[in-house]
């Protein structure tokens, strides 16, 4: 399929274009600059490939979890592109995209892939996947939880099947509990895979399309996981 994928859910801003037999990608670490960088990135790559949006079959985006602002930027951008073209949209989990990148690069096909992304406020966005011939299998549902809860769920999985664990995401270095557990237990540490990359959303978007898990522009929905955000109120404010 001819697909354009974007992601701005974290500090990274990434773009991938799959057209015929060619894949062109861009990946930048640019905190708080996503809205300025994404459109020029899209325009640059489309011109490089000599492709118009009308030549595409599908749009994809990192639906989260991630920062509220970052997820909203990608959601708004993909909705605008979909409205202008009538193309269907596939929302791809940022956690699954990191797990898929790990699976694409590792030789340890029996290992569990545990993705923990720093969610701030003492929590991580967390999910665990196993690998099969048909792709990734979700073993622990996407959630936002304290590091201790993530570790407990991993302990249960390891007791059940004894599998090695591959760690990915920023959460492992953000919290001492996770970092210590990773050092003691993980047979392999995918320390270079810490942020989602739109390149690894292309295959997941294709799979979503084949399953009918796509939507039109008005029904595109982000995933935040955290229902409410808490903060200290200013003096005198209710």
């Amino acid at each position: 399929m001819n697909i354009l994928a974007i992601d701005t859910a974290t500090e990274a801003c990434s773009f991938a274009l799959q057209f015929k037999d060619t894949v062109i990608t861009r990946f930048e670490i640019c905190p708080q600059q996503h809205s300025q960088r994404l459109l020029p990135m899209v325009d640059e790559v489309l011109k490089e490939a000599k492709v118009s949006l009308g030549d595409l079959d599908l749009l994809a985006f990192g639906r989260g979890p991630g920062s509220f602002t970052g997820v909203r930027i990608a959601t708004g951008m993909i909705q605008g592109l979909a409205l202008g073209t009538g193309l269907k949209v596939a929302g791809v989990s940022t956690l699954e995209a990191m797990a898929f990148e790990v699976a694409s690069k590792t030789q340890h096909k029996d290992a569990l892939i545990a993705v923990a992304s720093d969610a701030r406020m003492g929590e991580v966005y967390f999910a665990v996947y196993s690998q099969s011939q048909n792709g990734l299998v979700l073993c622990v549902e996407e959630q936002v939880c304290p590091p201790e809860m993530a570790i407990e769920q991993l302990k249960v999985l390891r007791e059940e099947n004894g599998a090695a664990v591959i760690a990915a995401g920023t959460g492992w270095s953000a919290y001492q509990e996770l970092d210590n557990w990773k050092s003691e237990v993980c047979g392999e540490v995918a320390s270079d895979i810490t942020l989602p990359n739109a390149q690894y959303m292309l295959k997941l978007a294709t799979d979503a399309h084949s399953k009918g898990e796509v939507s039109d522009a008005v029904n595109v929905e982000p995933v935040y996981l955290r229902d409410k955000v808490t903060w200290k109120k200013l003096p005198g404010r209710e």
Side-chain angles (χ1 to χ4, degrees):
M1 296 189 72
N2 300 319
I3 307 173
L4 178 155
I6 62 173
D7 179 66
T8 59
T10 63
E11 303 95 305
C13 179
S14 61
F15 170 88
L17 174 68
Q18 176 178 289
F19 188 74
K20 297 183 179 179
D21 297 325
T22 302
V23 175
I24 302 174
T25 65
R26 295 288 188 274
F27 182 90
E28 295 181 14
I29 307 296
C30 52
Q32 301 180 345
Q33 298 179 37
H34 300 77
S35 57
Q36 292 92 351
R37 288 295 305 132
L38 188 56
L39 271 177
M41 193 181 288
V42 171
D43 188 55
E44 173 189 322
V45 172
L46 289 176
K47 287 180 178 177
E48 178 182 333
K50 298 180 180 178
V51 172
S52 70
L53 291 173
D55 297 322
L56 302 177
D57 302 311
L58 182 68
L59 300 173
F61 77 114
R63 60 165 175 76
S67 77
F68 180 86
T69 300
V71 173
R72 288 305 307 171
I73 289 171
T75 303
M77 171 73 73
I78 213 71
Q79 282 181 314
L81 296 177
L83 283 169
T85 59
L87 292 170
K88 295 293 185 180
V89 178
V92 178
S93 163
T94 52
L95 301 182
E96 187 176 6
M98 283 187 277
F100 182 68
E101 182 175 359
V102 172
S104 301
K105 296 179 177 179
T106 185
Q107 296 180 350
H108 301 278
K109 299 301 181 183
D110 294 328
L112 296 169
I113 302 173
V115 185
S117 183
D118 186 9
R120 310 304 172 105
M121 297 192 294
E123 295 180 317
V124 291
Y125 298 120
F126 180 68
V128 182
Y129 303 83
S130 62
Q131 305 170 76
S132 74
Q133 293 182 344
N134 297 321
L136 295 173
V137 177
L138 188 61
C139 300
V140 174
E141 294 285 341
E142 289 187 356
Q143 60 192 270
V144 59
C145 66
E148 298 85 355
M149 187 178 295
I151 291 170
E152 287 304 313
Q153 293 177 86
L154 278 170
K155 285 180 178 178
V156 170
L157 281 177
R158 293 192 75 247
E159 288 173 0
E160 290 176 351
N161 56 34
V165 177
I166 305 175
T170 56
W172 298 94
S173 59
Y175 296 98
Q176 192 64 50
E177 306 96 313
L178 285 172
D179 192 45
N180 291 342
W181 194 88
K182 178 186 70 177
S183 300
E184 294 172 5
V185 176
C186 291
E188 177 183 341
V189 179
S191 58
D192 60 328
I193 302 173
T194 56
L195 298 170
N197 188 330
Q199 177 180 350
Y200 294 92
M201 295 180 179
L202 295 171
K203 173 63 166 60
L204 298 175
T206 301
D207 292 345
H209 183 270
S210 67
K211 297 174 185 176
E213 298 173 353
V214 295
S215 62
D216 53 26
V218 296
N219 293 315
V220 170
E221 292 186 358
V223 171
Y224 299 115
L225 292 187
R226 180 178 282 140
D227 293 329
K228 61 173 83 171
V229 177
T230 59
W231 65 90
K232 290 184 179 180
K233 294 178 181 178
L234 295 173
R237 297 291 180 89
E238 296 298 330

